[in-house]
């Protein structure tokens, strides 16, 4: 879901966990994070539509990806 | 891209991990002298130390946090001491919280001295290898463990033995090119996330991540396990990164190289890698271009530069014939009309 959302934007998007950083637009990349619920992630956006992209991804997290209630 | 990718390195490894890897990967015979395994003892740097002076009593600047190696010198020094003095000297040494002690060349310590280590929970191991040989091997291993690493969003493929790193924006087709290369008999190292380790000033080693290994994701197809689909010949676990292929959409304002193929450099963790900027246009077979880039890299490794060779040929022609109109490449067509 993160990847699908991020790919709609032109900005570069990176996710970092414990010093290990991947491209947020790559499914394999996001999976290698093996981020469990409650994991601490740093999200980094960079580009022309970075604010819109950040808002969209932040909204995803806030909604709990439509799973967590 | 102004964004600086994160570089990271291990902060510590445990002693039992170190011993296990030395035994099974580096193939160093090691025998434990006490029952300490060092599961919670940590090695934090790649440097080694021989505590000769510390044994003699000079402990200022004693780098006890390093891996300690007792060779012939240290063991013979201990031997020449009187019984009481020997135990005192060794006890003083063990006041310091050393991660692990290695004895080389099959040197043994007396039971009383080993006992002191056990009390302090310091693992002590013995190897038959000569000191310098052992130190070179363990240092090499530790340097690799504490090398700087980073993850790169790219694909790494071994093409004719040349490690090609395909980089470019998400969705430009790195995975597709990698898959095409695999189909043509080349070997995939990693797709999407390449872990790059700096082995030497200008040497970078690439591999996949432990979780993903040789899975790849192709848009429109989903996840593919290259290893089970194409077999063991289609993969590699590690490869030096030698040439960077920078894929980007054709940009009419950008100037692309027309004669010299590799004239650009791509920096990864301070290492300068030759790179080729490859504009992507419809109908272009990027896979074949990648093969040619790899072959050209091989040629230049053996000292052949096509641009240079052609320039020399041209210069010779201008000198000898004074710039005649170009003539056929063949003097006389024989009668086979082929």
């Amino acid at each position: 879901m993160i990847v699908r959302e991020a790919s709609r934007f032109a900005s570069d998007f990176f996710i970092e966990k414990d010093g290990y950083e991947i491209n947020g637009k790559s499914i394999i990349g996001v999976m290698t994070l093996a981020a469990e619920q409650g994991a601490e992630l740093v999200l980094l956006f960079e580009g022309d539509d970075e604010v819109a992209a950040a808002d969209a991804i932040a909204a995803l997290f806030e909604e709990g990806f439509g799973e967590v209630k | 891209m102004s964004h600086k990718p994160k570089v990271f390195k291990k902060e510590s490894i445990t002693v039992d991990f170190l011993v296990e890897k030395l035994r099974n990967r580096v193939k160093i015979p090691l025998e434990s002298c006490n029952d300490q395994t060092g599961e919670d003892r940590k090695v934090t740097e790649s440097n080694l130390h021989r505590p000769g002076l510390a044994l003699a009593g000079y402990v200022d600047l004693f780098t006890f946090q390093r891996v300690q190696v007792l060779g012939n010198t240290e063991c013979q020094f201990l031997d020449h001491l009187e019984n009481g003095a020997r135990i005192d000297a060794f006890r003083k040494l063990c006041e310091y919280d050393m991660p692990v002690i290695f004895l080389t060349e099959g040197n043994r310590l007396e039971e009383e001295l080993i006992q002191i280590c056990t009390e302090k929970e310091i693992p002590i191991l013995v190897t038959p290898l000569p000191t310098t040989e052992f130190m070179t091997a363990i240092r090499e291993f530790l340097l690799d463990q504490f090398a700087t690493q980073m993850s790169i969003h790219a694909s790494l493929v071994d093409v004719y033995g040349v490690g090609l790193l395909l980089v470019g924006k998400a969705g430009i087709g790195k995975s597709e090119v990698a898959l095409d290369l695999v189909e043509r008999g080349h070997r995939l190292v990693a797709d999407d996330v390449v872990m790059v380790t700096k082995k030497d000033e200008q040497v970078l080693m690439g591999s996949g991540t432990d979780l993903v290994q040789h899975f790849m994701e192709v848009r429109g197809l989903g996840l593919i396990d290259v290893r089970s689909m194409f077999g063991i010949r289609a993969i590699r676990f590690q490869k030096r990164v030698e040439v960077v292929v920078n894929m980007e959409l054709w940009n009419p304002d950008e100037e692309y190289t027309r004669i010299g193929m590799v004239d650009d450099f791509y920096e990864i963790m301070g290492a300068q890698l030759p790179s080729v900027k490859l504009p992507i246009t419809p109908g272009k077979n990027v896979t074949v271009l990648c093969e040619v880039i790899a072959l050209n890299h091989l040629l230049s490794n053996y000292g052949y530069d096509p641009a240079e060779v052609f320039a020399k040929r041209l210069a010779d022609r201008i000198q000898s014939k004074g710039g005649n109109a170009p003539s056929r490449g063949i003097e006389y067509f024989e009668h086979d009309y082929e």
Side-chain angles (χ1 to χ4, degrees), chain A residues 13-61:
Chain A
F13 170 39
F14 303 90
I15 307 178
E16 185 197 320
K17 183 191 171 202
D18 305 330
Y20 166 78
E21 185 186 85
I22 54 93
N23 190 314
K25 291 187 182 179
S26 130
I27 292 183
I28 297 234
V30 172
M31 286 193 303
T32 57
L33 290 172
E36 68 283 1
Q37 204 181 332
E40 227 171 88
L41 304 173
V42 179
L43 309 179
L44 215 145
F45 299 86
E46 197 174 87
D48 296 338
D49 53 2
E50 56 190 23
V51 177
D55 287 347
I57 301 290
L60 264 184
F61 275 90

Side-chain angles (χ1 to χ4, degrees), chain B residues 206-262:
Chain B
S207 71
T209 55
D210 49 357
L211 177 69
V212 178
Q213 293 211 333
H214 300 98
F215 277 81
M216 64 197 295
E217 182 230 337
V218 179
R219 249 150 267 229
L221 299 184
L223 276 180
I224 293 172
D225 181 359
V226 172
R227 186 174 179 178
S228 56
M229 194 176 278
F230 296 94
I232 194 78
R233 67 156 186 90
I235 58 155
R236 270 192 82 132
F237 285 91
Q238 59 168 58
K239 180 78 190 96
R240 179 175 170 186
V241 182
E242 285 161 291
V243 181
V244 176
V245 179
N246 201 343
M247 293 164 63
E248 55 178 42
L249 285 176
W250 171 268
N251 176 0
D253 300 329
E254 177 99 41
E255 198 174 315
Y256 297 99
T257 178
R258 299 294 295 268
I259 294 179
M261 198 180 295
V262 180

